[in-house]
Coordinates of all heavy atoms in Angstrom, one line a residue:
M1 N 146.5 166.1 138.2 CA 146.4 165.7 136.8 C 145.0 165.2 136.3 O 144.4 164.2 136.9 CB 147.4 164.6 136.5 CG 147.6 164.3 134.9 SD 148.9 163.2 134.7 CE 148.4 162.4 133.2
S2 N 144.4 166.0 135.5 CA 143.0 165.6 135.0 C 143.2 164.7 133.8 O 144.0 164.9 133.0 CB 142.2 166.9 134.7 OG 142.8 167.5 133.6
K3 N 142.2 163.8 133.9 CA 142.1 162.8 132.7 C 141.0 163.2 131.8 O 140.0 163.6 132.2 CB 141.7 161.4 133.4 CG 141.8 160.3 132.4 CD 141.6 159.0 133.2 CE 141.9 157.8 132.3 NZ 141.8 156.6 133.1
R4 N 141.4 163.2 130.5 CA 140.3 163.6 129.5 C 139.2 162.6 129.4 O 139.4 161.5 129.4 CB 141.0 163.7 128.1 CG 140.2 164.1 127.0 CD 140.7 164.1 125.7 NE 139.8 164.2 124.6 CZ 139.4 163.0 124.0 NH1 139.9 161.8 124.4 NH2 138.5 163.1 123.0
R5 N 138.0 163.1 129.7 CA 136.8 162.3 129.6 C 136.2 162.2 128.1 O 136.1 163.3 127.5 CB 135.8 162.8 130.6 CG 136.3 162.6 132.1 CD 135.1 162.6 133.1 NE 133.9 162.0 132.5 CZ 133.6 160.7 132.9 NH1 134.5 160.1 133.6 NH2 132.5 160.1 132.5
P6 N 135.7 161.2 127.8 CA 135.1 161.1 126.5 C 133.8 162.1 126.6 O 133.2 162.3 127.5 CB 134.5 159.7 126.4 CG 135.3 158.9 127.4 CD 135.6 159.8 128.4
S7 N 133.4 162.4 125.3 CA 132.3 163.3 125.1 C 131.0 162.7 125.4 O 130.7 161.5 124.9 CB 132.2 163.9 123.8 OG 131.0 164.6 123.5
R8 N 130.2 163.2 126.4 CA 128.8 162.6 126.6 C 127.8 163.6 126.1 O 126.6 163.3 126.1 CB 128.6 162.3 128.1 CG 129.3 161.1 128.5 CD 128.9 160.8 130.1 NE 129.7 159.8 130.6 CZ 129.5 158.5 130.3 NH1 128.6 158.2 129.6 NH2 130.4 157.6 131.0
L9 N 128.2 164.7 125.7 CA 127.2 165.8 125.4 C 125.9 165.8 126.1 O 124.9 165.4 125.8 CB 126.9 165.7 123.8 CG 127.9 166.1 122.8 CD1 127.4 165.8 121.4 CD2 128.2 167.5 122.9
S10 N 126.2 166.1 127.4 CA 125.1 165.9 128.5 C 123.9 166.9 128.1 O 123.9 167.7 127.2 CB 125.7 166.4 129.7 OG 125.9 167.7 129.7
G11 N 122.7 166.5 128.7 CA 121.5 167.3 128.5 C 120.7 166.7 127.4 O 121.0 165.6 126.8
H12 N 119.7 167.5 127.0 CA 118.8 167.0 126.1 C 119.4 166.6 124.6 O 119.1 165.7 124.0 CB 117.6 168.1 125.9 CG 116.7 167.7 124.8 ND1 115.6 166.6 125.0 CD2 116.4 168.2 123.6 CE1 115.0 166.6 123.7 NE2 115.4 167.5 123.0
R13 N 120.3 167.6 124.2 CA 121.0 167.4 122.9 C 121.7 166.2 122.8 O 121.6 165.4 122.0 CB 121.9 168.5 122.5 CG 122.4 168.4 121.3 CD 123.4 169.8 120.8 NE 123.9 169.6 119.6 CZ 125.2 169.3 119.3 NH1 126.0 169.3 120.4 NH2 125.7 169.1 118.2
G14 N 122.5 165.7 123.8 CA 123.3 164.5 123.9 C 122.3 163.4 123.9 O 122.6 162.3 123.3
R15 N 121.4 163.3 124.8 CA 120.3 162.1 124.9 C 119.8 161.9 123.5 O 119.6 161.0 123.1 CB 119.3 162.5 125.9 CG 119.7 162.1 127.3 CD 118.6 162.0 128.2 NE 117.8 163.1 128.4 CZ 118.1 164.2 129.1 NH1 119.2 164.1 129.8 NH2 117.4 165.4 129.2
R16 N 119.3 163.0 122.9 CA 118.7 163.0 121.5 C 119.5 162.3 120.6 O 119.3 161.4 119.7 CB 118.2 164.3 121.2 CG 117.3 164.2 120.0 CD 116.5 165.5 119.7 NE 116.1 165.6 118.3 CZ 116.7 166.4 117.4 NH1 117.6 167.3 117.8 NH2 116.2 166.5 116.2
L17 N 120.9 162.9 120.5 CA 121.8 162.5 119.6 C 122.1 161.0 119.8 O 122.2 160.1 118.8 CB 123.1 163.4 119.7 CG 124.2 163.2 118.6 CD1 123.5 163.5 117.2 CD2 125.3 164.1 119.0
R18 N 122.3 160.6 120.9 CA 122.6 159.1 121.2 C 121.4 158.3 121.0 O 121.6 157.0 120.4 CB 123.0 159.0 122.8 CG 124.4 159.4 123.1 CD 124.9 159.0 124.5 NE 124.0 159.4 125.6 CZ 124.0 160.7 126.1 NH1 125.0 161.3 125.9 NH2 123.3 160.9 127.2
A19 N 120.2 158.6 121.1 CA 119.1 157.8 120.8 C 119.0 157.6 119.2 O 118.7 156.6 118.7 CB 117.7 158.6 121.2
I20 N 119.2 158.7 118.4 CA 119.2 158.7 117.0 C 120.4 157.7 116.5 O 120.2 156.9 115.6 CB 119.4 160.1 116.4 CG1 118.2 161.0 116.6 CG2 119.7 160.0 114.9 CD1 118.4 162.4 116.3
I21 N 121.6 157.8 117.0 CA 122.6 157.0 116.6 C 122.3 155.5 117.1 O 122.6 154.6 116.4 CB 124.0 157.5 117.3 CG1 124.2 158.9 116.7 CG2 125.1 156.4 117.0 CD1 125.4 159.6 117.3
G22 N 121.7 155.3 118.3 CA 121.4 154.0 118.7 C 120.3 153.3 117.6 O 120.4 152.2 117.4
R23 N 119.4 154.1 117.2 CA 118.5 153.5 116.2 C 119.2 153.3 114.9 O 118.9 152.2 114.3 CB 117.3 154.7 116.0 CG 116.3 154.6 117.1 CD 115.0 155.3 116.6 NE 115.2 156.7 116.4 CZ 115.2 157.7 117.4 NH1 114.8 157.4 118.6 NH2 115.4 158.9 117.0
R24 N 120.3 154.0 114.6 CA 120.9 153.9 113.4 C 121.8 152.6 113.5 O 121.9 151.8 112.5 CB 121.7 155.2 113.1 CG 122.4 155.0 111.7 CD 123.5 156.2 111.6 NE 124.6 156.0 112.5 CZ 125.6 157.0 112.7 NH1 125.4 158.1 112.2 NH2 126.4 156.8 113.5
D25 N 122.6 152.5 114.4 CA 123.6 151.5 114.5 C 123.4 150.4 115.5 O 124.2 149.5 115.6 CB 124.9 152.2 115.1 CG 125.4 153.4 114.1 OD1 125.1 153.3 112.9 OD2 126.3 154.1 114.5
G26 N 122.4 150.5 116.4 CA 122.1 149.6 117.4 C 122.7 150.1 118.7 O 123.7 150.9 118.8
V27 N 122.1 149.7 119.9 CA 122.4 150.1 121.1 C 123.6 149.3 121.8 O 123.4 148.6 122.6 CB 121.2 150.3 122.1 CG1 121.6 150.9 123.4 CG2 120.1 151.0 121.5
R28 N 124.6 149.7 121.2 CA 125.9 148.8 121.5 C 127.2 149.6 121.1 O 127.1 150.7 120.5 CB 126.1 147.6 120.8 CG 126.0 147.7 119.4 CD 126.0 146.4 118.6 NE 125.5 146.5 117.2 CZ 126.4 147.1 116.3 NH1 127.6 147.6 116.7 NH2 126.1 147.3 115.0
C29 N 128.3 149.2 121.8 CA 129.6 150.0 121.5 C 129.9 149.6 120.0 O 130.0 148.5 119.6 CB 130.7 149.5 122.3 SG 132.3 150.2 122.0
F30 N 130.1 150.7 119.2 CA 130.5 150.5 117.9 C 131.8 149.7 117.6 O 132.0 149.0 116.7 CB 130.7 151.8 117.2 CG 131.1 151.9 115.7 CD1 130.2 151.6 114.7 CD2 132.6 152.0 115.4 CE1 130.4 151.7 113.4 CE2 132.7 151.9 113.9 CZ 131.8 151.8 113.0
H31 N 132.8 149.8 118.5 CA 134.0 149.1 118.4 C 134.0 147.7 118.9 O 134.7 146.9 118.3 CB 135.1 150.2 119.2 CG 135.1 151.5 118.7 ND1 135.6 151.9 117.4 CD2 134.8 152.6 119.3 CE1 135.5 153.1 117.3 NE2 135.0 153.6 118.4
C32 N 133.6 147.6 120.3 CA 133.8 146.1 120.7 C 132.4 145.5 120.8 O 132.4 144.1 120.9 CB 134.3 146.2 122.1 SG 133.1 146.9 123.3
G33 N 131.3 146.0 120.4 CA 130.0 145.4 120.4 C 129.3 145.2 121.7 O 128.2 144.6 121.7
V34 N 129.8 145.6 122.7 CA 129.2 145.4 124.0 C 127.8 146.2 124.0 O 127.9 147.4 123.7 CB 130.1 145.9 125.2 CG1 129.3 146.0 126.5 CG2 131.3 145.1 125.4
P35 N 126.7 145.5 124.4 CA 125.4 146.2 124.4 C 125.2 147.0 125.6 O 125.8 146.8 126.7 CB 124.4 145.0 124.4 CG 125.2 143.9 125.0 CD 126.6 144.1 124.7
F36 N 124.5 148.1 125.4 CA 124.3 149.1 126.6 C 122.7 148.8 126.9 O 122.0 148.6 126.0 CB 124.3 150.5 126.0 CG 125.7 150.9 125.7 CD1 126.0 151.3 124.3 CD2 126.8 150.9 126.5 CE1 127.2 151.6 123.8 CE2 128.1 151.3 126.0 CZ 128.3 151.7 124.8
A37 N 122.5 149.0 128.2 CA 121.1 148.8 128.6 C 120.2 150.0 128.1 O 119.1 149.9 127.8 CB 121.1 148.8 130.2
S38 N 120.9 151.1 128.0 CA 120.3 152.4 127.3 C 121.4 153.1 126.7 O 122.6 153.0 127.1 CB 119.4 153.2 128.4 OG 120.3 154.0 129.1
T39 N 120.9 154.1 125.9 CA 122.0 154.9 125.2 C 122.5 155.9 126.1 O 123.6 156.5 126.0 CB 121.4 155.7 123.9 OG1 120.2 156.4 124.5 CG2 121.0 154.7 122.9
D40 N 121.9 156.1 127.4 CA 122.5 157.0 128.4 C 123.9 156.5 128.9 O 124.7 157.2 129.4 CB 121.4 157.1 129.6 CG 120.3 158.0 129.2 OD1 120.4 158.7 128.2 OD2 119.3 157.9 129.8
E41 N 124.1 155.2 128.7 CA 125.3 154.5 129.2 C 126.5 154.9 128.3 O 127.6 154.6 128.5 CB 125.2 153.0 129.4 CG 124.4 152.7 130.6 CD 124.2 151.1 130.6 OE1 124.9 150.4 129.8 OE2 123.5 150.6 131.5
A42 N 126.1 155.2 127.1 CA 127.2 155.3 125.8 C 127.9 156.6 125.9 O 127.3 157.6 126.5 CB 126.6 155.0 124.6
T43 N 129.1 156.6 125.4 CA 129.7 157.9 125.1 C 129.5 158.3 123.7 O 129.2 157.2 122.8 CB 131.2 157.9 125.5 OG1 131.9 157.0 124.6 CG2 131.4 157.6 127.0
L44 N 129.7 159.5 123.2 CA 129.6 159.8 121.9 C 131.1 159.8 121.3 O 132.0 160.5 121.9 CB 128.9 161.1 121.6 CG 127.4 161.0 121.7 CD1 126.9 162.5 121.7 CD2 126.8 160.3 120.5
D45 N 131.4 159.1 120.3 CA 132.8 159.0 119.7 C 132.8 159.5 118.4 O 132.0 159.3 117.7 CB 133.3 157.5 119.8 CG 134.7 157.4 119.4 OD1 135.5 158.4 119.6 OD2 135.1 156.3 118.7
H46 N 133.8 160.4 118.1 CA 133.9 160.9 116.8 C 134.7 159.8 116.0 O 135.8 159.3 116.4 CB 134.9 162.2 116.6 CG 134.2 163.3 117.2 ND1 134.1 163.6 118.6 CD2 133.5 164.3 116.6 CE1 133.5 164.8 118.7 NE2 133.0 165.2 117.7
F47 N 134.1 159.1 114.9 CA 134.7 158.1 114.2 C 136.0 158.6 113.5 O 137.1 157.9 113.6 CB 133.7 157.6 113.0 CG 134.3 156.5 112.3 CD1 134.2 155.2 112.8 CD2 134.7 156.7 111.1 CE1 134.7 154.2 112.1 CE2 135.2 155.7 110.3 CZ 135.2 154.3 110.8
V48 N 136.0 159.7 112.9 CA 137.2 160.4 112.4 C 137.5 161.4 113.5 O 136.7 162.2 113.8 CB 136.9 161.1 111.1 CG1 138.2 161.9 110.7 CG2 136.5 160.2 110.0
P49 N 138.7 161.4 114.1 CA 139.0 162.2 115.3 C 138.9 163.6 114.9 O 139.1 164.0 113.8 CB 140.4 161.8 115.6 CG 140.7 160.5 114.9 CD 139.8 160.3 113.8
R50 N 138.4 164.5 115.9 CA 138.2 165.9 115.7 C 139.6 166.5 115.2 O 139.6 167.6 114.6 CB 137.7 166.6 117.0 CG 136.3 166.2 117.2 CD 135.6 167.0 118.3 NE 135.2 168.3 117.5 CZ 135.1 169.4 118.0 NH1 135.4 169.7 119.3 NH2 134.8 170.5 117.3
S51 N 140.7 165.9 115.7 CA 141.9 166.5 115.2 C 142.3 166.5 113.8 O 143.0 167.2 113.2 CB 143.1 165.8 116.0 OG 143.2 164.5 115.6
V52 N 141.4 165.5 113.1 CA 141.6 165.3 111.7 C 140.5 166.0 111.0 O 140.7 166.7 109.9 CB 141.5 163.7 111.2 CG1 141.6 163.6 109.9 CG2 142.7 163.1 111.9
W53 N 139.2 165.9 111.5 CA 138.0 166.4 110.8 C 137.3 167.1 111.9 O 136.7 166.4 112.8 CB 137.3 165.4 110.0 CG 136.2 165.9 109.1 CD1 136.5 166.8 108.1 CD2 134.9 165.5 109.0 NE1 135.3 167.0 107.6 CE2 134.2 166.1 108.1 CE3 134.1 164.5 109.8 CZ2 133.0 165.9 107.6 CZ3 132.7 164.4 109.4 CH2 132.2 165.2 108.3
C54 N 137.3 168.5 112.0 CA 136.8 169.2 113.2 C 135.3 169.5 113.2 O 134.7 170.2 113.9 CB 137.6 170.4 113.4 SG 137.4 171.6 112.1
Y55 N 134.6 168.9 112.2 CA 133.2 169.1 112.1 C 132.4 168.0 112.9 O 132.6 166.9 112.8 CB 132.7 169.2 110.7 CG 133.4 170.2 109.9 CD1 134.4 169.7 108.9 CD2 133.1 171.5 110.0 CE1 135.1 170.7 108.2 CE2 133.8 172.5 109.3 CZ 134.7 171.9 108.5 OH 135.5 173.0 107.8
D56 N 131.2 168.5 113.7 CA 130.4 167.6 114.4 C 129.2 167.3 113.7 O 128.1 167.8 113.7 CB 129.9 168.3 115.7 CG 130.9 168.4 116.7 OD1 132.0 167.7 116.7 OD2 130.8 169.2 117.6
R57 N 129.4 166.3 112.6 CA 128.4 165.9 111.7 C 127.9 164.5 112.4 O 128.6 163.8 112.9 CB 128.9 165.6 110.4 CG 129.5 166.8 109.7 CD 128.5 167.7 109.1 NE 129.0 168.7 108.3 CZ 128.9 169.9 108.4 NH1 128.2 170.4 109.4 NH2 129.5 170.8 107.5
M58 N 126.5 164.3 112.3 CA 126.0 163.2 112.7 C 126.6 161.9 112.1 O 126.7 160.9 112.9 CB 124.3 163.1 112.3 CG 123.7 161.8 112.6 SD 123.4 161.7 114.4 CE 122.1 163.0 114.4
A59 N 127.0 161.9 110.9 CA 127.6 160.7 110.3 C 128.9 160.5 110.9 O 129.3 159.2 110.8 CB 127.8 160.9 108.7
N60 N 129.6 161.3 111.6 CA 130.9 161.0 112.1 C 130.7 160.5 113.7 O 131.7 160.4 114.3 CB 131.7 162.4 112.1 CG 133.1 162.0 112.3 OD1 133.6 160.9 112.1 ND2 133.8 162.8 113.1
F61 N 129.5 160.5 114.2 CA 129.4 160.1 115.6 C 129.0 158.6 115.6 O 128.3 158.1 114.8 CB 128.3 160.8 116.3 CG 128.8 162.2 116.7 CD1 128.1 163.3 116.3 CD2 129.6 162.4 117.7 CE1 128.4 164.6 116.6 CE2 130.2 163.6 118.2 CZ 129.5 164.7 117.6
V62 N 129.5 157.9 116.5 CA 129.2 156.4 117.0 C 129.1 156.4 118.4 O 129.7 157.3 119.1 CB 130.3 155.4 116.4 CG1 130.3 155.4 114.9 CG2 131.7 155.6 116.9
L63 N 128.4 155.4 118.9 CA 128.3 155.2 120.4 C 129.4 154.3 120.7 O 129.9 153.4 120.1 CB 127.1 154.4 120.6 CG 125.8 155.0 120.4 CD1 124.5 154.2 120.8 CD2 125.7 156.4 121.1
A64 N 130.1 154.5 121.8 CA 131.3 153.7 122.3 C 131.2 153.7 123.8 O 130.7 154.5 124.5 CB 132.6 154.4 121.8
C65 N 131.8 152.5 124.3 CA 131.9 152.4 125.8 C 133.1 153.3 126.1 O 133.9 153.6 125.4 CB 132.1 150.9 126.2 SG 133.6 150.2 125.6
D66 N 133.2 153.5 127.5 CA 134.3 154.4 128.0 C 135.7 153.8 127.6 O 136.5 154.4 127.1 CB 134.3 154.6 129.5 CG 133.3 155.7 129.9 OD1 133.1 156.6 129.1 OD2 132.7 155.7 131.0
P67 N 136.0 152.5 128.0 CA 137.3 152.0 127.7 C 137.6 152.1 126.1 O 138.8 152.5 125.8 CB 137.2 150.5 128.0 CG 136.2 150.4 129.0 CD 135.1 151.6 128.6
C68 N 136.6 151.8 125.2 CA 137.0 152.0 123.8 C 137.2 153.3 123.3 O 138.1 153.7 122.7 CB 135.9 151.3 123.0 SG 135.8 149.5 123.0
N69 N 136.5 154.3 123.9 CA 136.5 155.7 123.6 C 137.8 156.2 123.9 O 138.6 156.9 123.2 CB 135.3 156.5 124.1 CG 135.1 157.8 123.4 OD1 136.1 158.4 122.8 ND2 134.0 158.3 123.5
Q70 N 138.2 155.8 125.2 CA 139.6 156.4 125.7 C 140.7 155.7 125.0 O 141.7 156.4 124.7 CB 139.6 156.2 127.4 CG 138.6 157.1 127.9 CD 138.9 157.2 129.5 OE1 139.8 156.7 130.0 NE2 138.0 157.8 130.1
A71 N 140.6 154.3 124.7 CA 141.7 153.6 124.0 C 141.8 154.3 122.5 O 143.0 154.3 122.1 CB 141.4 152.3 123.9
K72 N 140.7 154.5 122.0 CA 140.8 155.1 120.5 C 141.4 156.5 120.5 O 142.3 156.5 119.6 CB 139.4 155.1 119.9 CG 139.5 155.7 118.6 CD 138.0 155.5 117.8 CE 138.0 156.4 116.6 NZ 137.6 157.8 116.9
A73 N 141.2 157.3 121.5 CA 141.5 158.7 121.6 C 141.5 159.4 120.2 O 140.5 159.4 119.5 CB 142.9 158.8 122.2
D74 N 142.6 159.8 119.7 CA 142.7 160.6 118.5 C 143.3 159.8 117.3 O 143.8 160.3 116.3 CB 143.4 162.0 118.5 CG 142.7 163.0 119.2 OD1 141.5 162.9 119.2 OD2 143.3 164.0 119.7
V75 N 143.1 158.4 117.4 CA 143.7 157.6 116.3 C 142.7 157.3 115.4 O 141.5 157.0 115.6 CB 144.1 156.2 117.0 CG1 144.7 155.3 116.0 CG2 145.3 156.6 118.1
L76 N 143.1 157.2 114.2 CA 142.2 157.0 113.0 C 141.9 155.4 113.1 O 142.8 154.6 113.2 CB 142.8 157.2 111.6 CG 142.7 158.6 111.1 CD1 143.6 158.7 109.9 CD2 141.4 159.1 110.9
P77 N 140.6 155.0 112.8 CA 140.3 153.6 112.7 C 141.1 153.0 111.4 O 141.3 153.7 110.6 CB 138.8 153.6 112.3 CG 138.2 154.9 112.8 CD 139.4 155.8 112.8
L78 N 141.4 151.8 111.6 CA 142.4 151.1 110.6 C 141.8 151.1 109.2 O 142.3 151.6 108.2 CB 142.7 149.6 111.0 CG 143.5 149.0 110.0 CD1 144.9 149.5 109.8 CD2 143.7 147.4 110.5
G79 N 140.4 150.8 109.0 CA 139.8 150.8 107.9 C 139.8 152.2 107.1 O 140.0 152.3 106.0
L80 N 139.6 153.1 107.9 CA 139.6 154.6 107.4 C 141.0 154.9 106.9 O 141.3 155.5 105.8 CB 139.0 155.6 108.2 CG 139.0 156.9 107.7 CD1 138.1 157.2 106.7 CD2 138.5 158.0 109.0
L81 N 142.0 154.4 107.7 CA 143.5 154.7 107.4 C 143.8 154.1 106.1 O 144.5 154.8 105.3 CB 144.3 154.3 108.5 CG 145.8 154.6 108.4 CD1 146.0 156.1 108.3 CD2 146.5 154.0 109.5
L82 N 143.3 152.9 105.8 CA 143.6 152.2 104.6 C 143.0 152.9 103.4 O 143.5 152.9 102.3 CB 143.2 150.6 104.7 CG 143.8 149.8 105.6 CD1 143.3 148.6 105.8 CD2 145.5 149.7 105.1
V83 N 141.7 153.4 103.6 CA 141.1 154.2 102.5 C 141.8 155.4 102.1 O 142.0 155.9 101.1 CB 139.7 154.4 102.9 CG1 139.0 155.4 101.9 CG2 138.9 153.2 102.9
L84 N 142.3 156.1 103.2 CA 143.0 157.4 103.0 C 144.4 157.4 102.7 O 145.1 158.2 102.1 CB 142.9 158.3 104.3 CG 141.5 158.7 104.7 CD1 141.6 159.4 106.1 CD2 140.9 159.6 103.6
Q85 N 145.0 156.0 102.8 CA 146.4 155.9 102.6 C 146.9 156.4 101.1 O 148.0 157.1 101.3 CB 146.8 154.5 102.7 CG 148.2 154.1 102.9 CD 148.8 153.6 101.5 OE1 148.1 153.3 100.6 NE2 150.2 153.8 101.5
P86 N 146.2 156.2 100.1 CA 146.8 156.7 98.8 C 146.9 158.2 98.9 O 147.7 158.7 98.2 CB 145.8 156.3 97.9 CG 145.0 155.0 98.4 CD 145.0 155.4 99.9
W87 N 145.9 158.9 99.5 CA 146.0 160.4 99.6 C 147.0 160.8 100.4 O 147.7 161.9 100.3 CB 144.6 160.9 100.0 CG 143.6 160.8 98.8 CD1 143.4 161.8 97.8 CD2 142.8 159.8 98.5 NE1 142.5 161.4 96.9 CE2 142.0 160.1 97.3 CE3 142.6 158.6 99.1 CZ2 141.2 159.3 96.7 CZ3 141.5 157.8 98.5 CH2 140.9 158.2 97.4
L88 N 147.1 160.2 101.6 CA 148.2 160.6 102.5 C 149.6 160.4 102.1 O 150.6 161.2 102.4 CB 148.1 159.7 103.9 CG 146.7 159.9 104.7 CD1 146.6 159.0 105.8 CD2 146.6 161.3 105.2
T89 N 149.9 159.3 101.1 CA 151.2 159.2 100.7 C 151.3 159.8 99.2 O 152.4 159.7 98.7 CB 151.5 157.7 100.6 OG1 150.4 157.0 99.6 CG2 151.4 157.0 101.9
G90 N 150.3 160.4 98.7 CA 150.4 161.1 97.4 C 150.4 160.0 96.2 O 150.7 160.4 95.2
R91 N 149.8 158.9 96.5 CA 149.7 157.9 95.4 C 148.3 157.7 94.9 O 147.8 156.6 94.9 CB 150.2 156.5 95.9 CG 151.8 156.7 96.2 CD 152.2 155.3 96.6 NE 153.8 155.5 96.9 CZ 154.4 154.5 97.4 NH1 154.0 153.3 97.7 NH2 155.7 154.7 97.6
T92 N 147.7 158.8 94.5 CA 146.3 158.5 94.0 C 146.5 158.2 92.5 O 147.5 158.3 91.9 CB 145.6 159.7 94.1 OG1 146.2 161.0 93.3 CG2 145.3 160.3 95.5
Q93 N 145.5 157.8 91.7 CA 145.4 157.5 90.4 C 146.0 158.6 89.6 O 146.7 158.6 88.6 CB 144.2 157.0 89.9 CG 143.8 155.5 90.4 CD 142.6 155.0 89.7 OE1 141.8 155.8 89.3 NE2 142.3 153.6 90.1
E94 N 145.5 159.9 90.0 CA 145.9 161.1 89.3 C 147.4 161.4 89.4 O 148.1 161.6 88.5 CB 145.2 162.3 89.8 CG 143.8 162.4 89.6 CD 142.9 161.6 90.6 OE1 143.5 161.4 91.8 OE2 141.9 160.9 90.3
G95 N 147.8 160.9 90.5 CA 149.2 160.9 90.8 C 150.2 160.1 90.0 O 151.1 160.5 89.4
R96 N 149.7 159.0 89.8 CA 150.4 158.0 88.9 C 150.4 158.4 87.4 O 151.5 158.2 86.8 CB 149.7 156.7 89.0 CG 150.0 156.0 90.4 CD 149.5 154.6 90.4 NE 149.4 154.1 91.8 CZ 148.3 153.6 92.3 NH1 147.3 153.3 91.5 NH2 148.2 153.3 93.5
A97 N 149.2 158.9 87.0 CA 149.1 159.3 85.6 C 150.0 160.5 85.2 O 150.5 160.7 84.1 CB 147.6 159.6 85.3
A98 N 150.3 161.3 86.2 CA 151.1 162.5 85.9 C 152.5 162.2 85.8 O 153.1 161.4 86.1 CB 150.8 163.6 87.0
Ligands
ZN1 ZN1 133.7 149.2 123.5

């Protein structure tokens, strides 16, 4: 049985992407705040899971440690879920006015 590994986007593209995100967010796990000695230790995590939003946009990547990345899997972060909740339940302001 194989275990799904978090995306590291190996090679030059992955290193460059992690370095850019490290400058943007800091060289630490986005979820638990554990610092990395270098961005090479980090995994790339899709903030919005690919199962929900399948585009690889820079804005959707964060650095994460292995345990956080694997624990999060395809689950939406709570803050994002609360923002999307009105649309998911069909209770937008437009919906109330109609
Ligand atoms: Zn973490």
Side-chain angles (χ1 to χ4, degrees):
M1 182 174 157
S2 68
K3 193 173 185 177
R4 183 180 160 266
R5 292 198 43 92
S7 172
R8 286 190 188 276
L9 285 175
S10 62
H12 177 71
R13 182 172 179 257
R15 273 194 303 278
R16 186 167 162 254
L17 193 55
R18 286 193 300 273
I20 292 168
I21 295 167
R23 282 193 296 272
R24 183 190 70 192
D25 298 341
V27 184
R28 58 182 166 67
C29 175
F30 180 83
H31 304 290
C32 71
V34 168
F36 300 116
S38 79
T39 54
D40 290 340
E41 293 179 3
T43 63
L44 286 168
D45 182 31
H46 290 85
F47 183 73
V48 178
R50 291 196 82 207
S51 60
V52 176
W53 195 49
C54 64
Y55 301 102
D56 285 338
R57 302 277 192 241
M58 176 72 74
N60 193 33
F61 280 117
V62 294
L63 299 179
C65 65
D66 275 334
C68 285
N69 201 334
Q70 291 193 9
K72 181 179 162 265
D74 281 345
V75 176
L76 280 174
L78 179 60
L80 181 61
L81 188 60
L82 292 174
V83 169
L84 294 176
Q85 192 264 344
W87 284 272
L88 296 173
T89 60
R91 294 183 180 175
T92 60
Q93 287 185 343
E94 295 81 26
R96 286 187 203 129

